[in-house]
Short mmCIF file of all heavy atoms in Angstrom, two decimals:
data_model
loop_
_atom_site.label_atom_id
_atom_site.label_comp_id
_atom_site.label_asym_id
_atom_site.label_seq_id
_atom_site.Cartn_x
_atom_site.Cartn_y
_atom_site.Cartn_z
N LYS A 53 -95.09 179.03 -26.93
CA LYS A 53 -93.98 178.48 -26.15
C LYS A 53 -93.52 179.49 -25.10
O LYS A 53 -93.35 180.68 -25.39
CB LYS A 53 -92.83 178.11 -27.07
CG LYS A 53 -91.64 177.45 -26.37
CD LYS A 53 -90.50 177.16 -27.34
CE LYS A 53 -90.90 176.14 -28.38
NZ LYS A 53 -89.73 175.77 -29.24
N SER A 54 -93.31 179.02 -23.89
CA SER A 54 -92.86 179.91 -22.82
C SER A 54 -91.41 180.31 -23.06
O SER A 54 -90.65 179.64 -23.77
CB SER A 54 -92.98 179.23 -21.46
OG SER A 54 -91.99 178.21 -21.33
N THR A 55 -91.02 181.40 -22.44
CA THR A 55 -89.63 181.85 -22.53
C THR A 55 -88.70 180.81 -21.95
O THR A 55 -87.61 180.56 -22.49
CB THR A 55 -89.45 183.18 -21.80
OG1 THR A 55 -90.18 184.21 -22.50
CG2 THR A 55 -87.99 183.60 -21.75
N TYR A 56 -89.12 180.17 -20.86
CA TYR A 56 -88.28 179.12 -20.25
C TYR A 56 -88.03 177.97 -21.23
O TYR A 56 -86.91 177.49 -21.38
CB TYR A 56 -88.94 178.58 -18.98
CG TYR A 56 -89.16 179.60 -17.90
CD1 TYR A 56 -90.33 179.60 -17.13
CD2 TYR A 56 -88.20 180.58 -17.62
CE1 TYR A 56 -90.54 180.52 -16.13
CE2 TYR A 56 -88.40 181.51 -16.62
CZ TYR A 56 -89.58 181.48 -15.88
OH TYR A 56 -89.79 182.40 -14.87
N LYS A 71 -84.87 179.33 -15.62
CA LYS A 71 -85.52 180.19 -14.62
C LYS A 71 -84.47 180.96 -13.83
O LYS A 71 -84.64 182.15 -13.53
CB LYS A 71 -86.39 179.36 -13.69
CG LYS A 71 -87.65 178.79 -14.35
CD LYS A 71 -88.49 178.00 -13.36
CE LYS A 71 -89.75 177.48 -14.00
NZ LYS A 71 -90.60 176.71 -13.06
N THR A 74 -83.01 183.77 -16.11
CA THR A 74 -83.91 184.90 -16.31
C THR A 74 -84.13 185.69 -15.03
O THR A 74 -84.41 186.89 -15.08
CB THR A 74 -85.27 184.43 -16.87
OG1 THR A 74 -85.81 183.41 -16.02
CG2 THR A 74 -85.12 183.87 -18.27
N GLN A 75 -84.01 185.05 -13.88
CA GLN A 75 -84.16 185.78 -12.63
C GLN A 75 -83.06 186.83 -12.49
O GLN A 75 -83.29 187.95 -12.01
CB GLN A 75 -84.11 184.82 -11.43
CG GLN A 75 -84.34 185.52 -10.09
CD GLN A 75 -85.66 186.28 -10.03
OE1 GLN A 75 -86.71 185.70 -10.31
NE2 GLN A 75 -85.61 187.56 -9.70
N ALA A 78 -84.12 189.64 -14.61
CA ALA A 78 -85.23 190.34 -13.97
C ALA A 78 -84.72 191.25 -12.85
O ALA A 78 -85.25 192.36 -12.64
CB ALA A 78 -86.23 189.34 -13.41
N THR A 87 -90.44 195.88 -14.23
CA THR A 87 -90.92 194.61 -13.68
C THR A 87 -91.02 193.58 -14.80
O THR A 87 -91.80 193.76 -15.74
CB THR A 87 -92.31 194.78 -13.03
OG1 THR A 87 -92.22 195.75 -11.98
CG2 THR A 87 -92.78 193.44 -12.44
N PHE A 88 -90.20 192.54 -14.70
CA PHE A 88 -90.22 191.47 -15.70
C PHE A 88 -90.91 190.24 -15.12
O PHE A 88 -90.58 189.81 -14.02
CB PHE A 88 -88.79 191.08 -16.10
CG PHE A 88 -88.15 192.00 -17.10
CD1 PHE A 88 -88.67 193.25 -17.40
CD2 PHE A 88 -86.99 191.61 -17.76
CE1 PHE A 88 -88.07 194.09 -18.32
CE2 PHE A 88 -86.36 192.44 -18.69
CZ PHE A 88 -86.91 193.68 -18.97
N HIS A 89 -91.85 189.68 -15.88
CA HIS A 89 -92.50 188.43 -15.48
C HIS A 89 -92.19 187.37 -16.55
O HIS A 89 -93.00 187.13 -17.44
CB HIS A 89 -94.02 188.63 -15.36
CG HIS A 89 -94.43 189.49 -14.21
ND1 HIS A 89 -94.08 189.20 -12.90
CD2 HIS A 89 -95.16 190.63 -14.16
CE1 HIS A 89 -94.57 190.13 -12.10
NE2 HIS A 89 -95.23 191.01 -12.84
N PHE A 90 -91.04 186.76 -16.43
CA PHE A 90 -90.66 185.75 -17.42
C PHE A 90 -91.57 184.53 -17.36
O PHE A 90 -91.65 183.77 -18.32
CB PHE A 90 -89.20 185.34 -17.23
CG PHE A 90 -88.22 186.33 -17.77
CD1 PHE A 90 -87.46 187.11 -16.92
CD2 PHE A 90 -88.04 186.49 -19.14
CE1 PHE A 90 -86.54 188.02 -17.41
CE2 PHE A 90 -87.14 187.41 -19.66
CZ PHE A 90 -86.37 188.17 -18.79
N ASP A 91 -92.23 184.34 -16.23
CA ASP A 91 -93.14 183.20 -16.11
C ASP A 91 -94.36 183.36 -17.01
O ASP A 91 -95.03 182.38 -17.34
CB ASP A 91 -93.58 183.01 -14.65
CG ASP A 91 -94.22 184.27 -14.07
OD1 ASP A 91 -93.73 185.38 -14.37
OD2 ASP A 91 -95.20 184.13 -13.34
N LYS A 92 -94.64 184.60 -17.45
CA LYS A 92 -95.79 184.85 -18.32
C LYS A 92 -95.38 185.15 -19.76
O LYS A 92 -96.21 185.09 -20.66
CB LYS A 92 -96.60 186.04 -17.79
CG LYS A 92 -97.22 185.82 -16.43
CD LYS A 92 -98.27 186.86 -16.11
CE LYS A 92 -97.69 188.27 -16.01
NZ LYS A 92 -98.72 189.26 -15.62
N ALA A 93 -94.11 185.47 -19.98
CA ALA A 93 -93.65 185.87 -21.31
C ALA A 93 -93.67 184.70 -22.28
O ALA A 93 -93.33 183.57 -21.92
CB ALA A 93 -92.24 186.45 -21.22
N VAL A 94 -94.09 184.96 -23.52
CA VAL A 94 -94.16 183.91 -24.53
C VAL A 94 -93.26 184.23 -25.71
O VAL A 94 -93.09 185.39 -26.10
CB VAL A 94 -95.61 183.70 -25.03
CG1 VAL A 94 -96.48 183.18 -23.91
CG2 VAL A 94 -96.18 184.99 -25.60
N HIS A 125 -94.82 192.63 -23.49
CA HIS A 125 -94.12 191.35 -23.52
C HIS A 125 -93.54 190.98 -22.17
O HIS A 125 -93.78 189.87 -21.66
CB HIS A 125 -93.02 191.37 -24.57
CG HIS A 125 -92.23 190.09 -24.63
ND1 HIS A 125 -92.73 188.94 -25.20
CD2 HIS A 125 -90.99 189.76 -24.15
CE1 HIS A 125 -91.84 187.96 -25.09
NE2 HIS A 125 -90.79 188.44 -24.46
N PHE A 126 -92.78 191.88 -21.57
CA PHE A 126 -92.00 191.52 -20.38
C PHE A 126 -92.76 191.65 -19.07
O PHE A 126 -92.46 190.94 -18.11
CB PHE A 126 -90.72 192.36 -20.32
CG PHE A 126 -89.71 191.95 -21.35
CD1 PHE A 126 -89.49 192.73 -22.47
CD2 PHE A 126 -89.01 190.77 -21.23
CE1 PHE A 126 -88.58 192.35 -23.44
CE2 PHE A 126 -88.09 190.37 -22.19
CZ PHE A 126 -87.88 191.16 -23.30
N THR A 127 -93.73 192.54 -19.00
CA THR A 127 -94.47 192.73 -17.75
C THR A 127 -95.84 192.09 -17.78
O THR A 127 -96.24 191.42 -16.81
CB THR A 127 -94.62 194.25 -17.46
OG1 THR A 127 -93.33 194.86 -17.43
CG2 THR A 127 -95.32 194.45 -16.12
N ASP A 128 -96.54 192.23 -18.89
CA ASP A 128 -97.93 191.78 -18.96
C ASP A 128 -98.12 190.37 -19.54
O ASP A 128 -99.23 189.83 -19.49
CB ASP A 128 -98.76 192.77 -19.77
CG ASP A 128 -98.69 194.18 -19.23
OD1 ASP A 128 -98.48 194.32 -18.01
OD2 ASP A 128 -98.82 195.14 -20.00
N GLY A 129 -97.07 189.82 -20.13
CA GLY A 129 -97.19 188.47 -20.71
C GLY A 129 -98.05 188.43 -21.96
O GLY A 129 -98.66 187.41 -22.28
#
Side-chain angles (χ1 to χ4, degrees):
K53 184 183 295 185
S54 72
T55 293
Y56 299 141
K71 290 181 178 180
T74 53
Q75 183 57 53
T87 301
F88 280 14
H89 290 303
F90 282 108
D91 56 320
K92 297 194 296 183
V94 294
H125 178 75
F126 288 106
T127 304
D128 304 332

